[in-house]
Amino acid sequence: MASGGPFGSTGSGSSSTIESSNAPASAGEMGTGCSAYSNSTWLEELRVKDFALVSEQVVAFRPGFNVITGESGSGKSVLVEAFGQVLGSPAPSECVRTPAELASVEGVFVLSGGKVEAARLLLSREGLPQKALPSSSMDGTAVRLTVRREIIQSGGGTRSRCYINGTPTSLRVLRALGALLVDTNGQHAALSLREPATQLAMLDRLAGTAALVAAFGEALACLRAVEARLGELDELGDEGEREALQKVCDIVSSPLTHTPTAVVCVCLATQRVCF
């Protein structure tokens, strides 16, 4: 599948073309959501504007094996660098194309069922609103997540603005989401195996404890929300409200809630605790 035109150009005005080719797919695989890859998470589209040598480019991919080819100087490295920006990599110095003041890179991901729930849990923990969270499809169509990063030239450096499904977020959240969705292999591919989070995720996957991990994560998120609310009460003068919320925290921290499968939901308005 051709990328659609010149990706990079030399100062003399000549251009080179970078192409994205795909492994053949059968007619059944080309249906809605590409059923043969329904359990896969993949990058569907990468949109680049005013980044490095690229004025504006859209590169489309298909599920399965994709190959990026091109002669030297055609922009393969720029494409990889641009994709890294979607994953939260540090922005290179002077990456904004002159004379523009802002570069943007946007990636559209198609999520598998497991990644939908994992992404929802991650983003909800980070406090993103409901509209930013991917939702499971009821009709079998693909679930998509759009990640965009804008890089602004500021003085002698750069700063970034990040968005997930149009909702502003931080670069830290972008990195966490990128680590969840993409497994990058390269010269230092084994480095990710040294990360405790990667090791723990692999252990949970091998042990088949994904459901317990999700339940514990929800319970922990509830507990953190209560603890945060309790911290806010330090600035309040209402002793009655302080005592009521402390009672709720005591219930949440009781031995009854310490079972591995317990999920605790707390309503701060009524001080009710549900298991």
Side-chain angles (χ1 to χ4, degrees), residues 186-199:
Q187 185 176 1
H188 304 288
L191 292 180
S192 63
L193 296 178
R194 302 178 185 176
E195 299 177 3
T198 301
Q199 297 169 1

Side-chain angles (χ1 to χ4, degrees), residues 126-129 131-132 148 161-170 173:
E126 296 295 343
L128 271 71
K131 67 176 183 178
R148 187 172 88 255
R161 291 197 297 251
C162 306
Y163 303 87
I164 297 176
N165 280 349
T167 301
T169 187
S170 67
V173 174

